[in-house]
Amino acid sequence: MGEIIVTMQMSLDGIVSDPDRWMTLSDEILEDHLACYRKVDAVVFGGSTYEGLAQYWPEAEISSESPVERALAKQLNDLPKYVFTRSEMDLAWRNSKAVTVTDDESFIRELSGLKRGTGRISVEGGLKTWHRCIRHGLFDTLWLLVHPVIAAEGDRLFASAREQQALKPVDCKTYRNGVVGLRYQRE
């Protein structure tokens, strides 16, 4: 039937917004993202997140100094990308398709349809997309990369959760730069 993997970078205090202020990536983390992308059939982005990533990743395939980042960029560039948006967008990043989402009901319908028809999907953000996935229980796996920093200001990941959701821990990894990767599955 498929699987929805919600993936995000998060500060120790649960902040997910403005990651450029506090996020510390490494080739080790990028290697795990590459392994994840090799196992998924598509990626979902919100419109704002898509715009920022679409400016970076197509060029990173050629211009990055990191061999791991170039491989990650190629894999991500080749994957089908679904952009959940309220309005029309110019989608220049190859293999991108706009999906019109006007409210929670259309979000649930479209993401559930992708899960049934596409297979394994990685939901990469942004904040509104993650909040909808969590609020409506639209994920099978939650992959949190928790950075060793208290961001203090910003939007919290679980702020929109409306009810308790039981999760089962399935993996924990500490990276050399102090980031902790946590994977949970819904029970």
Side-chain angles (χ1 to χ4, degrees):
M1 175 168 175
E3 178 183 12
I4 297 173
I5 304 161
V6 174
T7 305
M8 78 280 310
Q9 310 288 328
M10 182 173 82
S11 68
L12 189 59
D13 56 340
I15 302 295
V16 292
S17 58
D18 301 317
D20 293 339
R21 288 187 313 115
W22 48 262
M23 182 173 59
T24 53
L25 291 179
S26 67
D27 279 353
E28 184 183 21
I29 292 170
L30 295 179
E31 286 171 0
D32 281 356
H33 275 282
L34 177 59
C36 177
Y37 288 141
R38 287 181 172 152
K39 295 177 184 174
V40 299
D41 302 302
V43 181
V44 169
F45 301 105
S48 298
T49 299
Y50 173 87
E51 288 177 344
L53 296 175
Q55 291 176 16
Y56 182 76
W57 287 109
E59 297 301 319
E61 186 174 341
I62 299 164
S63 64
S64 177
E65 293 181 16
S66 164
V68 174
E69 188 172 78
R70 285 193 309 272
L72 176 64
K74 177 167 181 14
Q75 185 68 30
L76 187 54
N77 292 337
D78 288 346
L79 278 170
K81 288 167 277 302
Y82 295 93
V83 184
F84 281 34
T85 179
R86 289 180 179 264
S87 57
E88 283 191 35
M89 293 181 65
D90 179 27
L91 302 179
W93 195 0
R94 74 178 184 252
N95 300 320
S96 295
K97 179 181 179 184
V99 177
T100 302
V101 173
T102 56
D103 55 18
D104 283 1
E105 185 179 302
S106 61
F107 180 88
I108 293 166
R109 182 180 59 251
E110 295 295 340
L111 189 57
S112 297
L114 278 176
K115 179 180 176 180
R116 282 190 304 276
T118 304
R120 291 183 64 154
I121 301 166
S122 179
V123 178
E124 299 289 323
L127 182 62
K128 290 176 189 173
T129 303
W130 290 330
H131 278 175
R132 281 180 163 162
C133 284
I134 291 166
R135 183 171 52 244
H136 298 293
L138 291 173
F139 65 91
D140 300 290
T141 301
L142 190 62
W143 183 24
L144 304 171
L145 289 139
V146 183
H147 293 257
V149 62
I150 297 172
E153 296 179 0
D155 297 302
R156 298 190 186 284
L157 177 61
F158 299 107
S160 69
R162 293 184 179 156
E163 60 186 39
Q164 181 175 323
Q165 298 178 41
L167 304 175
K168 179 177 85 171
V170 292
D171 188 37
C172 177
K173 179 177 182 177
T174 302
Y175 295 91
R176 288 187 290 275
N177 66 355
V179 173
V180 177
L182 302 168
R183 287 185 201 263
Y184 296 94
Q185 289 181 337
R186 290 177 51 85
E187 288 192 337

